[in-house]
Amino acid sequence: MRKLKDILNHKDNNLPIPEQKKLLRKILLLEREQLFHETNDVNWGAKQFFRALELLKIPEKQLKEQLIAKKLFLACYFPIRFELDIARFSEEYWLFPAVQEGKGLLWFQYGDGKENYIKNKYGILEKKKEHCFEYNSSMPPMLCFVPGLAASKEGYRLGYGGGYYDRFLKTNRDQITAIFCLPSERFLIDDLPKESSDEKVDLIVW
């Protein structure tokens, strides 16, 4: 586990929290890109995905049956900026997010693949809003793979600054099991700069 003080120098550690986060994102994005290019593409996210299923006690070959039996949703994200590619394992029943500007996340089923998708302002594939729904507490619980750059030993996640997942987790805390997969232990940090809006994740895998 790395120490924050070894990533940011003393001067940087005295910056306001948003500025510390911004600097960390810049550093870790470069590190993740380098690690991606050093890694066999077929392994980029595979180990973490199967490890997560193992820790959740869901046999990979029985994934769909287990989710149906336990009445659970499975949500993921399409990778950008060299994120781990958990989406490569997608099946038609998986859920993916669509951004509501100024509001939160909507969700849609993967369905037949990525046909007729559009790109949002972040360059992420999603479906038009008429094909999406808003998740609420009357729906089945959700296992949600969340994106991000790093995690702290306390379970906090360094995202990209939009706050969409933090708001989603806070609103649906009792319904969501958030799973955060890291490329390696290098992205597990003893402490992260935190704001009151930051939400913990439930499971961190690397």
Side-chain angles (χ1 to χ4, degrees):
M1 180 185 301
R2 293 164 78 186
K3 296 183 185 237
L4 181 63
K5 67 178 183 179
D6 294 333
I7 304 174
L8 300 181
N9 61 41
H10 180 71
K11 180 181 178 181
D12 295 332
N13 275 298
N14 292 323
L15 290 171
I17 297 299
E19 292 301 312
Q20 288 184 43
K21 284 185 170 183
K22 184 177 180 180
L23 184 55
L24 268 177
R25 289 185 189 106
K26 182 177 180 181
I27 294 169
L28 295 176
L29 277 168
L30 288 173
E31 288 188 5
R32 189 170 67 184
E33 179 179 357
Q34 181 180 358
L35 184 58
F36 171 83
H37 291 305
E38 295 171 355
T39 304
N40 187 328
D41 181 60
V42 298
N43 297 323
W44 192 244
K47 177 182 73 172
Q48 291 86 344
F49 174 67
F50 294 120
R51 177 63 175 150
L53 293 185
E54 178 185 338
L55 292 170
L56 292 166
K57 303 188 185 308
I58 300 177
E60 181 262 329
K61 292 183 179 178
Q62 300 175 21
L63 178 58
K64 185 173 184 178
E65 292 80 1
Q66 288 283 317
L67 293 172
I68 292 172
K70 296 179 180 181
K71 297 182 179 178
L72 296 172
F73 281 144
L74 178 61
C76 191
Y77 56 89
F78 291 124
I80 59 170
R81 291 180 282 188
F82 304 101
E83 289 175 327
L84 291 178
D85 191 1
I86 306 299
R88 71 175 62 199
F89 303 104
S90 303
E91 296 192 43
E92 75 282 354
Y93 60 92
W94 284 38
L95 301 180
F96 285 82
V99 172
Q100 288 189 101
E101 289 299 331
K103 295 182 180 179
L105 296 176
L106 296 176
W107 298 90
F108 59 86
Q109 281 197 325
Y110 184 72
D112 295 330
K114 298 178 184 175
E115 292 185 7
N116 301 318
Y117 280 28
I118 58 175
K119 281 188 178 181
N120 64 22
K121 72 173 188 178
Y122 303 105
I124 303 171
L125 292 174
E126 59 183 42
K127 288 187 178 179
K128 292 181 179 179
K129 300 302 183 284
E130 57 262 33
H131 300 298
C132 303
F133 66 90
E134 187 170 354
Y135 182 83
N136 62 63
S137 60
S138 68
M139 296 178 179
M142 179 189 287
L143 300 178
C144 185
F145 286 91
V146 299
L149 279 162
S152 72
K153 64 180 181 180
E154 294 178 284
Y156 287 99
R157 174 186 65 98
L158 179 67
Y160 301 111
Y164 293 103
Y165 278 90
D166 286 317
R167 290 193 292 274
F168 178 69
L169 294 177
K170 183 176 182 178
T171 301
N172 302 283
R173 174 52 69 187
D174 294 338
Q175 290 283 104
I176 307 296
T177 297
I179 306 154
F180 186 27
C181 295
L182 300 175
S184 76
E185 193 176 0
R186 280 186 57 79
F187 296 84
L188 186 65
I189 301 170
D190 66 334
D191 193 19
L192 284 173
K194 295 185 292 293
E195 297 173 276
S196 59
S197 57
D198 291 334
E199 291 288 319
K200 289 184 180 182
V201 295
D202 301 294
L203 178 63
I204 301 169
V205 184
W206 61 87

